Amino acid sequence: MHDVRGSIMRITDALRNSFNDVLITGSYLINKVFSIKTSPESTINEAEALSGMFRDVAVLIDDIGFLNSLGSLGVAKVRGSLTVFVYDIHDVRPFCNLMNLPCLEPWDQESLSKAIKESRDYSEAFELPYVVRLGPWLSIGESVSGIGVRHREPTFNKNWGETMRWGLNRLLDGVRRDMPEEVRVRSRDNITIINKGDGVLVSGSAWPFIKDHIDRVSNYSIVLSLYVNPLPKNSINAKYVVDPGDYLVRELSVNKLMSEDIDKWYNDLINNIIRQFFFREPGDPLMIIEWLFSKYRRQGEVPIIAIDPAYAHLIDIEGLTPSYDMLPTFFEPRSFDQIIDIVINPLMAVLAFLKSGYNYGRLIAVANPCTLMNQEKIIREIIDIKNEYLIIIPLIKDECKDAINVLSQIGVNYKVINYDPSTPLASLSGLLSIINSRGIVIVNIITNSMGKYMFKIDDEYCDNCGDCLRIKCPAIQLSRKPIIDTKICIGCGICQLVCSRGAIVKIP
């Protein structure tokens, strides 16, 4: 499995060996690797000020953080250099196009060094922020060392021809800037062509896939472009593209090669990241939160449920799943995406809903513990409003454990539910009490006892109600009735906890 955390750390080392200042910010992904102190928008403001002092500045950010910083980035002025390195598991390229920001996409370690030099030098030359798109496809070895830091004393030249370069007018002139023709020249000068034949444009994010399937493109001319915005369309003359997603297909209006294969490969790559950072595998402790929401019922109530972007991967967007109820007599959500209403900063969502006076149901949010950091004022505002709300904070291992101290320091009352996977039924009453709680609830998930037991389904009690299937555990498979594959089961006990028929028992 690709070591995402190690790769990000090595990229960071390369940036520190290439820029005067390296700022780190972001959202759900970067928060898993670093302790984030400032918001993406504030970090871009800091980077702009440093660039104004003739410094070379790099910002390392993830895709959600990048989208949250577009407002600041769109009006940022540059004097030294300002490059935003985006660790992207979705696709920020269309937003670079929208904002007219030069965007590079390296495909290996050598092209990463080239992208660092290109963005650093030409961000200053064209006085534009540059974006470099990184991702799990980029394998970074131990030898990457950067290109060397240029020594620059901080200076501030007040005598440019542009009046009030960093004044209020930059905020009022709109966010879309013109792309200089010189940038388009640079994009044409940074094309790599391999072999002869009909041109196939391969995105940097697809290059590792192509390297492993090079025989399938041996009759084509492989084109690699360091710039993906502006894309040097006239210089490429590609008849096909190989790219996860449809960005290059739309840009060039050509067909996509190996569409299903590349999309499956990329999805597997992203799922590996999710498994590394977010427990998307058998025994995922967050499955219990999904189940609690699916069981949430109060007659006549219309709750609003918000979830932190850190857990957005939990949402199933594959559509409705079949009903497993033998005699369904009421509507029940079939998948998690039917339960979640909004993916957003959960604290701000709860505060907004409370201020609005919404009273058709309680407000429920699942917040990553890292979200609590530096949010004391917002938390105080929430608890001062007397209304029904529930904030659930899954505490897994040592993730942002200092966030709990934030609650203690500001005197917030919170309830702790200990969920021990080795004894799931003992945790049942505490977990179910969450549903009718008000305030902040911490689900302390004990992971060191995973794998203590195996489980099986007793056909005598199982009536195909479907509760165990809804947690989407790969160890639970549907035959005539659900069965548990003991080769996959790790003994977390979540299935026994959610079974309302008592049909799931420990194997002696």
Side-chain angles (χ1 to χ4, degrees):
M1 183 185 293
H2 178 60
D3 177 15
V4 177
R5 192 183 301 270
S7 180
I8 291 175
M9 295 302 295
R10 289 189 287 274
I11 289 170
T12 305
D13 289 341
L15 298 184
R16 286 173 175 153
N17 289 321
S18 305
F19 291 85
N20 301 123
D21 303 281
V22 177
L23 309 179
I24 299 173
T25 185
S27 181
Y28 68 110
L29 185 64
I30 293 297
N31 253 324
K32 295 285 184 178
V33 183
F34 302 96
S35 177
I36 303 301
K37 301 300 183 184
T38 55
S39 69
E41 188 174 25
S42 299
T43 302
I44 296 298
N45 295 155
E46 181 183 356
E48 180 184 10
L50 287 167
S51 171
M53 292 187 289
F54 209 62
R55 306 277 287 178
D56 293 323
V57 188
V59 177
L60 178 62
I61 198 169
D62 53 36
D63 43 11
I64 300 297
F66 176 75
L67 296 181
N68 289 335
S69 68
L70 281 180
S72 293
L73 194 59
V75 298
K77 293 287 189 178
V78 175
R79 184 61 186 100
S81 66
L82 199 172
T83 305
V84 182
F85 291 83
V86 185
Y87 203 88
D88 185 15
I89 63 173
H90 294 95
D91 195 346
V92 301
R93 293 174 296 179
F95 296 95
C96 294
N97 188 305
L98 177 68
M99 304 294 289
N100 253 350
L101 294 172
C103 181
L104 312 181
E105 187 178 277
W107 52 89
D108 57 14
Q109 192 162 303
E110 182 181 351
S111 61
L112 173 61
S113 296
K114 188 175 182 181
I116 290 173
K117 181 171 177 28
E118 179 78 12
S119 62
R120 190 189 72 177
D121 293 351
Y122 287 95
S123 171
E124 177 180 339
F126 303 136
E127 300 185 352
L128 281 173
Y130 260 62
V131 176
V132 178
R133 184 179 184 237
L134 312 171
W137 62 85
L138 199 59
S139 182
I140 304 299
E142 299 291 344
S143 61
V144 62
S145 58
I147 60 173
V149 179
R150 300 186 291 194
H151 175 71
R152 292 185 155 187
E153 288 292 330
T155 61
F156 198 88
N157 189 337
K158 298 175 180 291
N159 299 313
W160 283 302
E162 182 181 348
T163 307
M164 284 288 286
R165 184 185 186 89
W166 276 276
L168 183 63
N169 59 308
R170 87 190 200 287
L171 304 176
L172 304 176
D173 288 342
V175 296
R176 185 174 174 86
R177 37 167 69 92
D178 293 330
M179 184 76 73
E181 180 57 32
E182 291 88 344
V183 182
R184 302 184 189 280
V185 173
R186 292 303 308 164
S187 72
R188 294 194 290 270
D189 289 344
N190 281 274
I191 298 173
T192 300
I193 300 177
I194 306 171
N195 296 337
K196 295 182 179 180
D198 290 338
V200 178
L201 177 61
V202 178
S203 71
S205 50
W207 176 243
F209 171 82
I210 286 297
K211 281 203 307 181
D212 291 340
H213 299 84
I214 199 72
D215 56 310
R216 298 175 64 178
V217 290
S218 58
N219 295 325
Y220 296 97
S221 173
I222 299 174
V223 182
L224 292 161
S225 174
L226 187 62
Y227 280 76
V228 289
N229 188 57
L231 194 64
K233 301 178 184 179
N234 295 333
S235 302
I236 291 175
N237 297 320
K239 294 186 177 180
Y240 305 97
V241 299
V242 179
D243 183 45
D246 297 324
Y247 175 74
L248 294 181
V249 169
R250 294 194 303 269
E251 286 294 297
L252 294 179
S253 300
V254 295
N255 293 324
K256 187 174 175 181
L257 280 184
M258 296 177 280
S259 176
E260 292 185 6
D261 292 339
I262 184 68
D263 288 344
K264 181 183 183 304
W265 171 82
Y266 191 75
N267 287 336
D268 288 344
L269 199 65
I270 299 305
N271 287 335
N272 282 335
I273 292 184
I274 290 172
R275 281 195 290 273
Q276 285 185 50
F277 287 117
F278 300 111
F279 291 92
R280 286 285 80 181
E281 56 188 0
D284 180 350
L286 296 180
M287 288 193 294
I288 196 65
I289 304 296
E290 298 182 24
W291 177 76
L292 283 170
F293 279 173
S294 70
K295 287 294 181 188
Y296 185 80
R297 297 286 183 280
R298 293 185 81 182
Q299 190 167 353
E301 184 172 325
V302 185
I304 300 178
I305 299 178
I307 192 167
D308 197 299
Y311 302 133
H313 63 280
L314 293 175
I315 300 175
D316 178 9
I317 57 173
E318 295 179 358
L320 304 185
T321 54
S323 169
Y324 302 106
D325 295 333
M326 297 179 69
L327 297 171
T329 56
F330 59 92
F331 170 78
E332 185 172 355
R334 302 296 179 216
S335 56
F336 197 39
D337 65 306
Q338 289 183 281
I339 302 165
I340 299 301
D341 295 302
I342 184 170
V343 178
I344 200 170
N345 179 325
L347 296 181
M348 296 309 298
V350 167
L351 183 60
F353 294 144
L354 289 172
K355 284 182 175 180
S356 74
Y358 182 84
N359 58 8
Y360 296 98
R362 75 177 59 220
L363 311 168
I364 305 174
V366 179
N368 186 289
C370 304
T371 304
L372 304 185
M373 306 298 286
N374 303 315
Q375 300 293 321
E376 293 91 340
K377 182 179 178 182
I378 296 170
I379 296 170
R380 283 195 178 100
E381 281 192 72
I382 290 173
I383 62 177
D384 286 345
I385 300 174
K386 306 302 180 185
N387 206 332
E388 292 295 307
Y389 70 89
L390 174 63
I391 300 175
I392 298 176
I393 303 169
L395 192 62
I396 304 168
K397 293 186 177 179
D398 294 326
E399 180 184 49
C400 290
K401 59 182 179 181
D402 291 341
I404 308 307
N405 297 332
V406 173
L407 298 178
S408 300
Q409 289 168 5
I410 61 178
V412 176
N413 292 323
Y414 57 88
K415 183 177 183 179
V416 177
I417 300 296
N418 290 311
Y419 169 60
D420 186 348
S422 68
T423 56
L425 291 181
S427 309
L428 180 60
S429 59
L431 286 166
L432 289 177
S433 71
I434 291 178
I435 293 178
N436 295 315
S437 295
R438 178 192 183 277
I440 298 178
V441 175
I442 296 166
V443 181
N444 183 31
I445 300 171
I446 303 169
T447 57
N448 57 7
S449 57
M450 290 285 208
K452 190 173 180 180
Y453 301 104
M454 293 289 108
F455 293 85
K456 68 176 182 179
I457 296 175
D458 188 334
D459 279 357
E460 183 178 351
Y461 293 99
C462 177
D463 63 1
N464 278 338
C465 73
D467 277 346
C468 63
L469 293 167
R470 291 191 186 97
I471 64 174
K472 302 287 183 70
C473 175
I476 303 175
Q477 300 169 4
L478 183 63
S479 182
R480 182 181 59 86
K481 288 186 175 182
I483 58 173
I484 297 175
D485 187 339
T486 55
K487 294 179 181 178
I488 300 176
C489 174
I490 66 169
C492 70
I494 292 176
C495 57
Q496 186 186 36
L497 176 63
V498 305
C499 179
S500 57
R501 309 303 198 261
I504 298 182
V505 296
K506 291 177 187 175
I507 298 176

